[in-house]
Amino acid sequence: MEDAFKRNAEVDAQHITVEAEGNKAVLRGTVRSWAEREEAERVAWLAPGVMRVDNRITIDS
């Protein structure tokens, strides 16, 4: 799943960690905007087998 973030130019993957807990993806870290946060969640939903996404990413202002 982290590879998907690295391929997506809209998301600064350096500051995001992804943990898989069964069929749930837990996103942590910081991004620069709400748009980046939403894009990170969208990418997580696209990963095979993901049924839930727990987006704990914060906005760094």
Side-chain angles (χ1 to χ4, degrees):
M1 192 176 327
E2 288 186 33
D3 291 338
F5 285 109
K6 292 174 185 171
R7 288 190 301 269
N8 189 320
E10 299 295 318
V11 177
D12 186 358
Q14 288 182 285
H15 301 288
I16 298 174
T17 60
V18 182
E19 294 175 26
E21 296 177 1
N23 62 3
K24 178 173 78 170
V26 180
L27 309 178
R28 291 186 174 90
T30 59
V31 294
R32 296 175 300 239
S33 68
W34 280 102
E36 277 189 84
R37 184 180 189 275
E38 290 172 357
E39 182 66 9
E41 184 171 334
R42 186 189 72 78
V43 171
W45 277 111
L46 294 175
V50 171
M51 303 296 256
R52 289 179 40 207
V53 175
D54 183 359
N55 190 345
R56 299 180 185 179
I57 295 172
T58 59
I59 310 301
D60 186 21
S61 49

